Amino acid sequence: MGDVVTVVTVDAFGAWLRQFAATIHDNAAMLTDLDSAIGDADHGSNMDRGMKAVVAALDATEFETADALFKKVGMTLVSTVGGASGPLYGTFFLRLGSSLQGADEISAPELGAALRAGVQGIVARGKAEVGDKTMVDALMPALDAYDAAVGEGVATALGAAAKAAAEGRDSTTPLVARKGRASYLGERSAGHQDPGATSTTMLLESAAAALS
Amino acid sequence: MGDVVTVVTVDAFGAWLRQFAATIHDNAAMLTDLDSAIGDADHGSNMDRGMKAVVAALDATEFETADALFKKVGMTLVSTVGGASGPLYGTFFLRLGSSLQGADEISAPELGAALRAGVQGIVARGKAEVGDKTMVDALMPALDAYDAAVGEGVATALGAAAKAAAEGRDSTTPLVARKGRASYLGERSAGHQDPGATSTTMLLESAAAALS
Amino acid sequence: MKKLINAPADVVQEALLGFEAAHSDRVRIDHDNKVIYRKDAPKQGKVGLISGGGSGHEPMHGGFVGMGMLDAACAGEVFTSPVPDQMMAATKEVDGGAGVLHIVKNYTGDVMNFEMAAEMAAADSGIEVLSVVTDDDVAVQDSLYTAGRRGVGVTVLLEKIVGAAAEQGRSLNDVADLAKRVNDLGRSMGMALTSCTVPAAGKPTFELGENEMELGIGIHGEPGRKRLPLASAKEIASMLVDPIVGDLPYGQGDSVIAFVNGMGGTPLLELYVMYNEVAQLLEKAGITVARSLVGSYITSLEMAGCSVTLLKADDELVSLWDAPVNTPGLRWGA
Amino acid sequence: MKKLINAPADVVQEALLGFEAAHSDRVRIDHDNKVIYRKDAPKQGKVGLISGGGSGHEPMHGGFVGMGMLDAACAGEVFTSPVPDQMMAATKEVDGGAGVLHIVKNYTGDVMNFEMAAEMAAADSGIEVLSVVTDDDVAVQDSLYTAGRRGVGVTVLLEKIVGAAAEQGRSLNDVADLAKRVNDLGRSMGMALTSCTVPAAGKPTFELGENEMELGIGIHGEPGRKRLPLASAKEIASMLVDPIVGDLPYGQGDSVIAFVNGMGGTPLLELYVMYNEVAQLLEKAGITVARSLVGSYITSLEMAGCSVTLLKADDELVSLWDAPVNTPGLRWGA
Ligand SMILES: Nc1ncnc2c1ncn2[C@@H]1O[C@H](COP(=O)(O)OP(=O)(O)O)[C@@H](O)[C@H]1O
Ligand SMILES: Nc1ncnc2c1ncn2[C@@H]1O[C@H](COP(=O)(O)OP(=O)(O)O)[C@@H](O)[C@H]1O
Ligand SMILES: [Mg+2]
Ligand SMILES: [Mg+2]
Ligand SMILES: [Mg+2]
Ligand SMILES: [Mg+2]
């Protein structure tokens, strides 16, 4: 058994983002396929373009604080992704950064609070509720699962969050979309997994893998 | 054995044209297919539109002389077909008419001379020679075969003409086109039967069938 | 994928280079920000008009930059809304002291990115920015709980009409009110005979059988509300016009600007066949066509299909429609 | 067959009805003869300009009827040249006492039908008729023993330029000489990514694999000179520009009107990508682009693909190009 990880460093966050970027790149075609069915066939290329820019930013700068790191990530995504996912992912990271302001080693509860702030940013921007068939369907349950396991350390809490996100992602399949582009399909949106919920699940899975 | 037909009446010419119209109609798709390979996919519909108009003209008027009949047919084709085949078929019938001016019962040699005048009209208008992969490749040998058999009466002469036309039509397949739309294909025109030679063969086959 | 392109990732950038080469008499381009500017922007004292959206809808929006229409258009990746940095840059560049109007099509991505840009512009520069969101697509049910209707064909007519008003020197509030009025008076509906292929995706967004069509599509190659058996131009015209006319509603005695739009892969010959049907339906309904527009102006890459837009038009709107315009995509009187 | 049409046999007639409904401010149509007239034809003292050809090439020719361009366009069936009766009727109708010029694309059918019309007009009415035959397609080898080169993209540029000259009141001989000069100075070449479907035929004229293209096509959906593996926009631009430049030839210091034309199913986005490549090739060759035209102006139904036309242009030609024109298909300065 590994150690219980209790604090996360800026470097570890960098590793998380690189891992997420790699996962997105490997799954870009799959994400775009999901978006073809109920959207406009660009979610994979949008996220891939954005995360490539994030990796370039990581390569170019040494970040001293989590705050500075996540603000840069958020701004980079806002500036390069576009579409719905650009402002949503961008806001998530900007809020994550604000929430971690000042801290350099982040505890499990601090990380939990930061993730919640990030997701609240997404909700404030996109006004989606659980059940609307969006990334919020993966993110909300993930927050709750994280909080329930927060006492067991970052690794366990993120593992629980990733598992809950995956379940939330799967739960989008039967839903009729009420937000985003899929809502234009009405009843025809049912039976397809939401691309944004799929990529946010990867975000949490990358975190669980990189921050343990 | 039937009688040797030695004279042709205006009514018989009408029957020829109706038979040709029916054959064209039944083979319109095939003619258009041939024109798809080396042209612009309209020879069948062009000829069908024209011959329908000819039949309508035949239905509307009682023609006293072959002259009047063929002039009307020629003008109708010129006015309704368009493309290359409109002026060519139109000229053919206009010249046929002029050549038969005054006559009401037409002998085998008179018909042969008229057909030759018609084909000369096509050559004058289109400037194609035998071997250019056009309707002229079917028509020229047909005239010669007709003349060779003219002593045996109209039916036999037309039968020989139709047979020669079919051979001429088949001879177009290996040729590289030098006239008409197929010439734009250069070497790629070889290996395809010419649509105009195919429809003119039907013209002579209809004549052989209707005028016997 | 059969397209006249080089690498899929370079399509937008290269198309902008080509656009600039072809139209440098009327536009200039900031290639870093992918913004097309009217050559003489900013016009002092004139409200600046900015629009933008994903690429793949050409001539919209870049083709509508010029005298009497837009001051700037921000080009996103194919079918992906542009990012706030682009609208920010454009807002600063076109402001001639009279404020800037953002013309935004109602898609979640477009709305959020323009919103962020407006927030940033307000914080950053103090330029007065108002926004109008177009949402004219009757294929989508409007509701407080959903993303609402899409912005489609009316956007083209709005950019022309509002562009003329801005050119006359009207105030930002006036121009924004007019824009909302135009949006409220317009309705659209579209259909597709084929899907289209996003260059980066490399294959058609959806598959459609040889005897099928999609009704109620948008402009991003997405499937529509319903898949139906292929129908005649006459039937399709009814399927598009009836829901539009019933929605606003339009009726006996109304006067409209009628717009039959091609989706990108449909030739003009067919659009005129469609317009013939649409004109007959309107005549039967007692609706007068004051002006018409037939052509491919708001497209979905190479999708085959069409949309119909009707805009209820009083004398003011018609005279603004008739005012001179000089853009690569729409030009008259100049 | 996926098309926005009713019965295939009615396509041309219905499209003309739609065209008339959309453009009755500028044109009128003789539906019996399928001739589109400039609304104010005949113009006394002006040479009458007539063109025509098969339908399926829209906006050519009907879309080019109006002030500064054609006086009449005769519409044939799809891809089938019109018949002499149409040109006869048009010739009589547009003659304003200064004679009539027939603008004919070099296809056997078009040439023969226009020839018959000119013969009939001479015999019948004594109207002075001259003809110019366009034959600018370098894909086809010119020879005394063949049908010669096809008339393609130059026809559009010629109708604009010669239309401006006629509008200035030049004589029939002058206008005809100018037309011949324009034809002699222009060259074109085209390619297709897909075939097209003639409505009456109901299926694609030729089959093309997913990784193939046709080089050296005309505008009637016919296959080209060569079938090649799919290539990039950059490579395709060279395949089109090099034979054109080598043929006339065009060289260092020459000034041209450059025209990148879509075949009907290719969206504007791709045409701008192509124009970017073409502009770069011309720059490398030291050829200056005096004016450009990018869009689908001479089409082959819904075929995807493009053609490039270059016209060597001196000051006179450029100023005639710039002169006002007001047609449904091309409009500026009016
Ligand atoms: N209002 C919203 N709130 C939260 N998430 C949303 C909202 N609208 C869309 N999304 C998410 O964005 C995803 C689509 O992203 P993307 O394809 O990149 O953008 P676009 O829809 O603009 O093409 C959807 O799958 C969904 O999860
Ligand atoms: N110059 C010519 N002389 C004789 N026949 C010709 C000539 N040009 C074309 N044709 C004939 O016309 C036929 C094509 O007719 P059609 O398809 O109706 O006209 P188009 O080529 O104008 O579409 C060819 O198959 C050929 O036989
Ligand atoms: Mg998307
Ligand atoms: Mg043909
Ligand atoms: Mg998108
Ligand atoms: Mg033809």
Side-chain angles (χ1 to χ4, degrees):
Chain A
M1 296 223 359
D3 296 334
V4 173
V5 181
T6 49
V7 294
V8 187
T9 61
V10 178
D11 281 359
F13 284 133
W16 169 29
L17 292 163
R18 286 177 193 276
Q19 172 131 6
F20 180 51
T23 307
I24 287 291
H25 184 73
D26 292 345
N27 290 285
M30 182 267 269
L31 292 169
T32 287
D33 276 355
L34 290 175
D35 199 28
S36 297
I38 54 172
D40 59 349
D42 63 359
H43 188 58
S45 37
N46 289 347
M47 291 303 300
D48 193 32
R49 185 174 57 248
M51 290 310 298
K52 274 189 184 137
V54 165
V55 169
L58 293 177
D59 287 344
T61 322
E62 185 84 33
F63 292 96
E64 300 289 314
T65 63
D67 175 15
L69 171 73
F70 286 127
K71 287 225 166 112
K72 178 70 186 174
V73 171
M75 284 313 302
T76 302
L77 291 175
V78 167
S79 303
T80 58
V81 176
S85 44
L88 294 172
Y89 269 96
T91 301
F92 173 83
F93 283 108
L94 289 172
R95 296 284 181 102
L96 207 62
S98 310
S99 173
L100 297 175
Q101 198 139 22
D104 59 347
E105 294 205 323
I106 317 293
S107 70
E110 282 171 336
L111 181 57
L115 290 172
R116 191 166 290 275
V119 174
Q120 278 164 352
I122 288 179
V123 171
R125 182 74 52 219
K127 300 183 187 60
E129 294 171 12
V130 170
D132 284 353
K133 197 179 181 108
T134 71
M135 55 176 68
V136 171
D137 291 350
L139 291 169
M140 278 299 183
L143 294 181
D144 296 341
Y146 185 100
D147 287 353
V150 71
E152 294 161 63
V154 170
T156 307
L158 282 175
K163 196 164 158 289
E167 285 164 18
R169 172 199 66 200
D170 294 345
S171 79
T172 62
T173 302
L175 296 175
V176 172
R178 278 190 300 252
K179 283 275 149 49
R181 213 173 273 288
S183 68
Y184 305 139
L185 285 176
E187 302 292 330
R188 285 179 86 183
S189 62
H192 300 279
Q193 181 176 310
D194 180 61
T198 308
S199 64
T200 46
T201 299
M202 291 171 186
L203 179 71
L204 289 163
E205 286 172 346
S206 306
L211 306 183
S212 337
Chain B
M1 295 217 2
D3 296 335
V4 173
V5 180
T6 49
V7 292
V8 186
T9 61
V10 177
D11 281 358
F13 284 133
W16 168 29
L17 292 163
R18 287 177 191 276
Q19 171 131 7
F20 180 50
T23 307
I24 287 291
H25 184 73
D26 293 344
N27 290 284
M30 181 267 272
L31 291 169
T32 288
D33 276 355
L34 291 175
D35 199 29
S36 296
I38 54 171
D40 59 349
D42 64 358
H43 188 57
S45 38
N46 289 348
M47 291 302 301
D48 193 30
R49 185 174 57 248
M51 289 310 298
K52 273 189 185 136
V54 165
V55 169
L58 293 176
D59 288 345
T61 322
E62 185 85 32
F63 292 95
E64 300 289 311
T65 64
D67 176 14
L69 171 74
F70 286 128
K71 286 221 166 116
K72 178 70 186 174
V73 171
M75 283 315 298
T76 302
L77 292 174
V78 166
S79 303
T80 57
V81 177
S85 43
L88 294 171
Y89 270 95
T91 301
F92 173 82
F93 282 109
L94 289 172
R95 296 284 180 102
L96 208 62
S98 310
S99 174
L100 297 175
Q101 198 140 23
D104 58 349
E105 295 205 321
I106 317 294
S107 71
E110 282 170 337
L111 180 57
L115 291 171
R116 189 167 293 273
V119 174
Q120 278 164 352
I122 289 178
V123 171
R125 184 69 56 215
K127 299 184 187 63
E129 293 171 12
V130 170
D132 284 352
K133 197 179 181 108
T134 70
M135 54 176 70
V136 171
D137 292 349
L139 291 168
M140 277 300 182
L143 294 182
D144 295 341
Y146 186 100
D147 287 352
V150 70
E152 295 162 61
V154 171
T156 307
L158 281 174
K163 194 163 159 287
E167 285 165 17
R169 171 199 67 197
D170 295 344
S171 79
T172 62
T173 303
L175 295 176
V176 171
R178 277 191 300 252
K179 282 277 148 53
R181 215 173 271 289
S183 69
Y184 305 139
L185 286 175
E187 301 293 328
R188 285 179 85 184
S189 62
H192 301 278
Q193 181 175 311
D194 179 61
T198 308
S199 64
T200 46
T201 298
M202 292 170 186
L203 179 71
L204 290 162
E205 286 172 345
S206 306
L211 306 184
S212 338
Chain C
M1 174 173 50
K2 292 194 140 180
K3 290 182 187 289
L4 298 171
I5 62 172
N6 297 302
D10 299 335
V11 168
V12 174
Q13 182 191 337
E14 292 179 359
L16 287 176
L17 286 167
F19 186 85
E20 185 178 40
H23 304 298
S24 57
D25 53 330
R26 279 167 289 176
V27 303
R28 64 175 198 271
I29 297 189
D30 169 355
H31 289 282
D32 288 337
N33 280 307
K34 297 199 168 78
V35 183
I36 300 173
Y37 290 107
R38 181 170 160 168
K39 200 162 186 180
D40 56 0
K43 297 285 282 181
Q44 286 311 316
K46 185 182 102 63
V47 171
L49 296 188
I50 293 180
S51 192
S55 294
H57 309 301
E58 291 66 27
M60 188 184 79
H61 296 278
F64 301 144
V65 171
M67 191 277 287
M69 226 164 155
L70 300 177
D71 294 275
C74 305
E77 289 302 315
V78 172
F79 292 169
T80 301
S81 96
V83 300
D85 311 48
Q86 297 175 266
M87 293 82 143
M88 276 274 286
T91 302
K92 289 185 194 162
E93 184 76 17
V94 308
D95 179 50
V100 175
L101 180 70
H102 288 181
I103 301 172
V104 187
K105 301 187 299 305
N106 189 35
Y107 299 94
T108 306
D110 293 71
V111 169
M112 292 192 305
N113 282 284
F114 267 101
E115 245 170 44
M116 291 186 93
E119 288 163 20
M120 288 154 116
D124 199 82
S125 64
I127 298 170
E128 202 184 351
V129 175
L130 291 179
S131 294
V132 59
V133 177
T134 59
D135 61 345
D136 53 309
D137 186 353
V138 299
V140 176
Q141 261 143 29
D142 205 0
S143 146
L144 269 182
Y145 308 101
T146 66
R149 286 178 158 169
R150 292 176 286 224
V152 287
V154 148
T155 317
V156 177
L157 308 184
L158 186 151
E159 290 176 0
K160 166 65 188 85
I161 288 170
V162 169
E167 205 72 44
Q168 292 177 350
R170 298 201 199 170
S171 73
L172 179 59
N173 279 322
D174 269 20
V175 168
D177 287 348
L178 175 70
K180 288 194 186 90
R181 190 157 82 84
V182 170
N183 182 60
D184 289 346
L185 292 172
R187 295 291 187 276
S188 301
M189 175 113 168
M191 59 77 59
L193 294 173
T194 67
S195 181
C196 62
T197 297
V198 176
K203 57 185 179 203
T205 302
F206 59 89
E207 293 295 338
L208 202 53
E210 186 49 37
N211 293 308
E212 295 175 328
M213 61 179 206
E214 289 276 333
L215 186 69
I217 51 129
I219 54 169
H220 298 87
E222 65 272 54
R225 298 289 287 197
K226 269 198 216 158
R227 182 158 297 191
L228 294 174
L230 212 58
S232 68
K234 191 176 287 301
E235 292 160 333
I236 291 170
S238 287
M239 293 180 205
L240 300 179
V241 170
D242 294 350
I244 292 175
V245 166
D247 190 276
L248 191 56
Y250 301 80
Q252 182 80 35
D254 278 337
S255 184
V256 298
I257 299 179
F259 172 27
V260 169
N261 173 63
M263 299 309 296
T266 284
L268 212 42
L269 182 72
E270 296 176 35
L271 295 181
Y272 282 119
V273 170
M274 282 301 303
Y275 185 71
N276 180 42
E277 299 297 341
V278 169
Q280 286 180 37
L281 287 173
L282 295 178
E283 196 179 332
K284 255 177 239 155
I287 299 169
T288 306
V289 177
R291 295 292 183 271
S292 66
L293 184 67
V294 180
S296 296
Y297 292 100
I298 165 170
T299 60
S300 195
L301 294 170
E302 77 283 16
M303 178 178 267
C306 71
S307 63
V308 172
T309 298
L310 298 183
L311 173 66
K312 218 181 258 198
D314 55 22
D315 289 349
E316 184 199 10
L317 298 192
V318 170
S319 97
L320 290 167
W321 176 256
D322 287 343
V325 60
N326 183 353
T327 72
L330 272 189
R331 184 168 180 176
W332 53 75
Chain D
M1 172 173 52
K2 292 195 141 181
K3 288 181 188 290
L4 299 171
I5 61 172
N6 297 304
D10 299 335
V11 168
V12 174
Q13 182 192 336
E14 293 179 358
L16 287 176
L17 286 166
F19 186 85
E20 185 178 38
H23 304 299
S24 56
D25 54 329
R26 280 167 288 176
V27 303
R28 64 175 198 272
I29 297 188
D30 170 355
H31 289 283
D32 288 338
N33 279 308
K34 297 201 167 79
V35 183
I36 300 174
Y37 290 108
R38 182 172 160 166
K39 200 163 185 178
D40 57 359
K43 299 284 282 181
Q44 287 311 316
K46 184 182 104 62
V47 171
L49 296 188
I50 293 179
S51 192
S55 294
H57 308 302
E58 291 67 28
M60 189 183 79
H61 296 275
F64 300 144
V65 171
M67 191 277 287
M69 226 162 155
L70 300 178
D71 293 273
C74 306
E77 289 301 316
V78 172
F79 293 168
T80 301
S81 97
V83 301
D85 311 50
Q86 298 175 266
M87 293 82 143
M88 275 273 288
T91 302
K92 289 183 193 162
E93 183 75 17
V94 308
D95 180 48
V100 175
L101 180 70
H102 288 181
I103 300 172
V104 187
K105 300 188 300 305
N106 189 36
Y107 299 95
T108 306
D110 293 70
V111 169
M112 291 192 305
N113 282 284
F114 267 101
E115 245 171 43
M116 290 186 94
E119 289 163 19
M120 288 153 114
D124 197 83
S125 64
I127 299 170
E128 202 183 351
V129 175
L130 291 179
S131 295
V132 59
V133 177
T134 60
D135 61 344
D136 52 309
D137 186 353
V138 300
V140 176
Q141 260 144 30
D142 204 2
S143 146
L144 269 182
Y145 308 102
T146 66
R149 287 177 160 169
R150 293 178 285 225
V152 285
V154 149
T155 317
V156 175
L157 308 183
L158 185 150
E159 290 177 0
K160 166 67 188 82
I161 289 171
V162 169
E167 206 71 45
Q168 294 177 349
R170 298 200 198 170
S171 73
L172 179 59
N173 278 322
D174 267 21
V175 168
D177 286 348
L178 175 69
K180 288 193 186 91
R181 189 157 84 83
V182 170
N183 181 60
D184 289 346
L185 292 172
R187 294 291 188 275
S188 301
M189 176 114 169
M191 58 78 58
L193 293 173
T194 67
S195 181
C196 60
T197 298
V198 175
K203 57 184 182 200
T205 303
F206 58 88
E207 293 295 338
L208 202 52
E210 186 47 39
N211 294 307
E212 294 176 327
M213 61 181 205
E214 289 276 332
L215 185 69
I217 50 128
I219 54 169
H220 298 86
E222 65 271 54
R225 297 291 287 198
K226 268 196 217 161
R227 183 159 297 192
L228 293 174
L230 212 57
S232 68
K234 192 177 284 302
E235 291 161 335
I236 291 170
S238 288
M239 292 179 205
L240 300 180
V241 170
D242 293 350
I244 292 174
V245 167
D247 189 276
L248 191 57
Y250 302 79
Q252 182 80 36
D254 278 336
S255 185
V256 298
I257 299 179
F259 172 25
V260 169
N261 173 63
M263 300 308 298
T266 284
L268 212 41
L269 182 73
E270 296 176 34
L271 295 181
Y272 282 119
V273 170
M274 282 301 302
Y275 185 71
N276 180 41
E277 299 298 341
V278 169
Q280 285 180 36
L281 287 172
L282 295 178
E283 195 178 333
K284 255 176 238 154
I287 299 169
T288 306
V289 177
R291 295 293 182 272
S292 67
L293 184 67
V294 179
S296 296
Y297 293 99
I298 166 171
T299 62
S300 195
L301 293 170
E302 77 283 16
M303 178 178 268
C306 71
S307 64
V308 172
T309 298
L310 298 182
L311 173 65
K312 217 181 258 199
D314 55 23
D315 289 348
E316 185 199 9
L317 297 193
V318 170
S319 96
L320 290 167
W321 177 256
D322 287 343
V325 60
N326 183 353
T327 71
L330 272 189
R331 183 168 181 176
W332 54 75

